[in-house]
Amino acid sequence: MSGGAAKAQRAKPAAAADRAVAPSRVTPLKPAGRLRRRVRRGETLFGAGEPFATLFVVRVGCFKSLASSANGQVQVTGFPMAGDVLGLDGIDTGIHQCDVVSYDNAEVFVLPFAECEQWARETAHGQRMLRRALAREITRSHDHMLLLSAARAEQRVAIFLLDMSERYRRLGESRSSFALRMTRQDIGSYLGLQLETVSRLLSHFQREGFIQVQGREIALLDFQALWRMSGRAPDSHRPRVEPILDPQGNLTVVADADDGTARM
Amino acid sequence: MSGGAAKAQRAKPAAAADRAVAPSRVTPLKPAGRLRRRVRRGETLFGAGEPFATLFVVRVGCFKSLASSANGQVQVTGFPMAGDVLGLDGIDTGIHQCDVVSYDNAEVFVLPFAECEQWARETAHGQRMLRRALAREITRSHDHMLLLSAARAEQRVAIFLLDMSERYRRLGESRSSFALRMTRQDIGSYLGLQLETVSRLLSHFQREGFIQVQGREIALLDFQALWRMSGRAPDSHRPRVEPILDPQGNLTVVADADDGTARM
DNA sequence: CGCTACATTGATGATTGTCAACAAGTGTGG
DNA sequence: CCACACTTGTTGACAATCATCAATGTAGCG
């Protein structure tokens, strides 16, 4: 289905390739930025074991990424949303290590990895982008490992809520009222908890007046209390990250003034 | 001390740089491979918050890497040993996110990141090496996250023992008898357990006859039983990784036949 | 409307953390 | 050489957190 749509778009890279230089400093990424793929609710963008060929950048929608161990257990490792890069896990071995499944009818940019490599080789900015995407994934993992090994259930859920809030805020939506896309089970898997524990703690937070819950509709009422529960400082800002999407949802690159080889 | 030694070696990159082409297919990496740094027992190779300038490859010794969260809690994220790459966590932000501390009197290769970047830009192999080092870190993290969120204490310890065994084997040492370098507390931190739990389970495995423990001296007696405890399949081999050190402990690169730009 | 997936809540127990005491090993200084 | 402090490791008793099992409620969807 949408796999067919993707194929149809993949069939015309040459056509996209001959749009040559763009003069502005911030330019849409070409030709890769032209390739898009729609992913329908519940559909798998790529699966573990499949050969790795392209990276993706989420344009709209929310996904879950699943890491599965040899013995067959599965864990949600993240909830990629607009602006996040997908597929990095395949770079090492050439085989995807994760499943990525869409919660919504989503749309992603398709970045054939061969082009990414060339872009990285030819431009300092491309190199930096790719490398940072990888490194950020590492620090993200470390943060999550800390949560999984040290934080208590109450903290985990509070951190999850604050994290989602912050991500929605960055996407220009409300930070205090949003609809979660994922089930309690997926949240639990992500946080290393059982779904019942997640449900109980959400109810608990609601009784305390910190949040309001109605199924997947969440309203954060008392950020200070949530920060207190989370055991973190409210000002524990991650270093600022240059967004990969412009406000219109287009893939952008910042051309380097000092980069003579940047001629894509 | 060892910082001084490193500085003295850093002072002569030009001298090393003019050794031109090596004819063999496997060549020592130059000039970066010439730079080494000694790290003494208990010394910090680099610390979180320090500016990132170089990558390291462990030549001899065993380290622990520590991730610390904003609220001050610390977790051991790994036990880097010979052949492992250190410092990748600094690439994203330019600031190290981890502390890395040596258990032994160790020695590392110093790879100034500017040179790594150039190497990556100029050679396909360099690019691949760097990217794979990053991506491998990601899959390693995912594996560990699975362990932290799903495995029970018994499984974690069994997995830890089998993992250490496999790593010693790859370094050419015995896979069934080795001396751990780290304390029970560090093992516990790494596995998301209390030190008492680690100690108890080691004792338990010994009573069952799976292993023999004498402080940090470990002998694995029944691999099959350990695999059973671990809940994993014995054949769950990670895809083979080209080693970064040759048997003599020198840093090596494999020259690409198909890489015209590989002229370092 | 009924099926199905998802969510909530309660009761119970297992796993593991916490606290505490003690043993063994190591290094230091008198 | 011994006494001493200090770190590390072991083991036990107990408590707390969270998983498990089970029942019920609710919302979406053909």
Side-chain angles (χ1 to χ4, degrees):
Chain A
M1 316 294 172
S2 91
K7 223 171 261 175
Q9 286 177 322
R10 265 194 219 108
K12 49 172 179 177
D18 53 9
R19 323 172 145 267
V21 198
S24 80
R25 192 157 177 290
V26 176
T27 76
L29 178 58
K30 296 160 185 146
R34 293 282 156 197
L35 293 177
R36 295 181 186 178
R37 175 173 158 189
R38 293 184 178 284
V39 190
R40 289 190 310 187
R41 176 188 164 84
E43 198 183 342
T44 297
L45 178 60
F46 57 80
E50 293 178 11
F52 160 76
T54 71
L55 295 176
F56 302 94
V57 174
V58 181
R59 200 173 99 87
V60 289
C62 180
F63 294 79
K64 63 175 165 182
S65 63
L66 302 164
S68 43
S69 75
N71 81 54
Q73 63 179 314
V74 176
Q75 191 195 5
V76 175
T77 57
F79 299 110
M81 294 166 59
D84 293 328
V85 180
L86 296 175
L88 297 166
D89 58 284
I91 291 179
D92 183 17
T93 61
I95 308 278
H96 280 295
Q97 306 297 316
C98 291
D99 296 306
V100 171
V101 181
S102 177
Y103 285 120
D104 311 309
N105 291 322
E107 191 171 331
V108 298
F109 292 103
V110 178
L111 309 176
F113 188 60
E115 290 180 28
C116 294
E117 279 191 301
Q118 184 168 358
W119 184 45
R121 205 160 31 238
E122 291 179 354
T123 76
H125 182 70
Q127 194 174 36
R128 210 163 42 230
M129 291 278 283
L130 186 54
R131 206 166 289 143
R132 285 196 172 179
L134 282 161
R136 194 171 319 127
E137 190 69 18
I138 293 175
T139 61
R140 210 181 63 85
S141 298
H142 282 179
D143 281 357
H144 202 60
M145 280 169 41
L146 261 149
L147 178 146
L148 288 174
S149 68
R152 298 207 307 214
E154 202 172 50
Q155 297 180 303
R156 299 188 197 195
V157 174
I159 289 168
F160 171 75
L161 291 174
L162 289 168
D163 186 41
M164 292 305 292
S165 161
E166 171 65 10
R167 295 177 71 191
Y168 280 120
R169 189 188 64 71
R170 284 201 196 154
L171 295 180
E173 303 184 26
S174 168
R175 63 163 201 162
S176 59
S177 173
F178 45 84
L180 298 174
R181 307 297 198 280
M182 66 292 290
T183 65
R184 299 287 190 265
Q185 179 152 10
D186 285 346
I187 298 172
S189 171
Y190 177 66
L191 297 177
L193 301 171
Q194 293 305 112
L195 65 92
E196 295 95 328
T197 306
V198 175
S199 181
R200 257 185 265 273
L201 285 167
L202 289 175
S203 300
H204 173 66
F205 286 164
Q206 178 164 240
R207 273 196 306 278
E208 301 284 324
F210 302 158
I211 68 175
Q212 198 175 333
V213 195
Q214 187 92 261
R216 300 190 186 175
E217 287 293 332
I218 303 275
L220 306 190
L221 305 176
D222 187 343
F223 278 84
Q224 204 170 0
L226 288 172
W227 280 115
R228 194 157 18 82
M229 305 307 299
S230 78
R232 291 183 178 177
D235 50 30
S236 74
H237 287 310
R238 295 283 123 206
R240 188 140 311 280
V241 170
E242 32 183 342
I244 217 171
L245 297 182
D246 67 20
Q248 288 76 42
N250 295 311
L251 201 54
T252 65
V253 307
V254 180
D256 281 310
D258 60 354
D259 184 0
T261 66
R263 43 164 171 62
M264 53 187 305
Chain B
M1 336 245 164
S2 78
K7 222 171 265 174
Q9 286 176 320
R10 263 195 220 106
K12 48 171 178 176
D18 56 8
R19 322 170 148 267
V21 198
S24 83
R25 194 156 176 290
V26 177
T27 77
L29 177 60
K30 296 156 183 147
R34 295 277 158 201
L35 294 176
R36 296 182 187 177
R37 175 173 157 189
R38 293 186 178 283
V39 189
R40 290 189 309 186
R41 176 188 163 85
E43 198 183 340
T44 297
L45 178 59
F46 56 81
E50 293 178 9
F52 160 76
T54 71
L55 294 176
F56 303 94
V57 173
V58 181
R59 201 172 98 86
V60 289
C62 180
F63 295 79
K64 63 175 166 181
S65 62
L66 302 164
S68 41
S69 75
N71 81 54
Q73 63 179 315
V74 176
Q75 190 194 7
V76 175
T77 58
F79 300 111
M81 294 166 59
D84 293 328
V85 180
L86 296 175
L88 296 168
D89 58 285
I91 291 180
D92 183 18
T93 60
I95 307 276
H96 280 296
Q97 305 297 317
C98 291
D99 296 306
V100 171
V101 181
S102 178
Y103 285 120
D104 311 308
N105 291 321
E107 191 172 332
V108 297
F109 292 103
V110 178
L111 309 176
F113 188 60
E115 289 179 27
C116 293
E117 280 191 301
Q118 184 167 358
W119 184 44
R121 205 159 32 236
E122 291 179 354
T123 76
H125 183 70
Q127 195 175 34
R128 211 163 44 228
M129 291 279 282
L130 186 53
R131 208 167 290 144
R132 285 197 173 180
L134 282 160
R136 193 170 320 127
E137 190 70 16
I138 293 175
T139 61
R140 209 179 63 85
S141 298
H142 281 179
D143 281 357
H144 203 60
M145 279 168 43
L146 260 150
L147 178 145
L148 289 174
S149 67
R152 298 213 310 244
E154 203 172 50
Q155 298 181 301
R156 299 188 198 196
V157 175
I159 288 169
F160 171 74
L161 291 173
L162 289 167
D163 185 41
M164 292 305 291
S165 162
E166 170 66 9
R167 295 176 73 190
Y168 280 120
R169 190 189 65 71
R170 282 199 199 155
L171 296 179
E173 303 184 25
S174 168
R175 65 164 200 160
S176 59
S177 173
F178 45 85
L180 298 175
R181 307 296 199 277
M182 66 292 287
T183 66
R184 299 286 190 266
Q185 178 152 11
D186 285 345
I187 298 172
S189 172
Y190 176 65
L191 297 177
L193 301 171
Q194 293 306 111
L195 64 91
E196 294 95 328
T197 306
V198 175
S199 180
R200 257 186 265 274
L201 285 167
L202 290 175
S203 301
H204 174 65
F205 286 165
Q206 179 164 239
R207 273 195 304 278
E208 301 284 325
F210 302 159
I211 68 175
Q212 200 175 331
V213 195
Q214 187 92 262
R216 301 191 186 175
E217 288 293 333
I218 302 275
L220 305 191
L221 305 176
D222 187 343
F223 278 85
Q224 204 171 1
L226 288 172
W227 280 114
R228 193 158 17 83
M229 305 308 299
S230 78
R232 290 183 178 177
D235 51 33
S236 74
H237 287 311
R238 296 281 122 209
R240 188 138 310 282
V241 171
E242 32 185 343
I244 217 171
L245 297 182
D246 67 19
Q248 288 76 44
N250 295 311
L251 203 53
T252 65
V253 306
V254 179
D256 281 309
D258 60 355
D259 183 3
T261 66
R263 44 168 170 59
M264 53 186 307

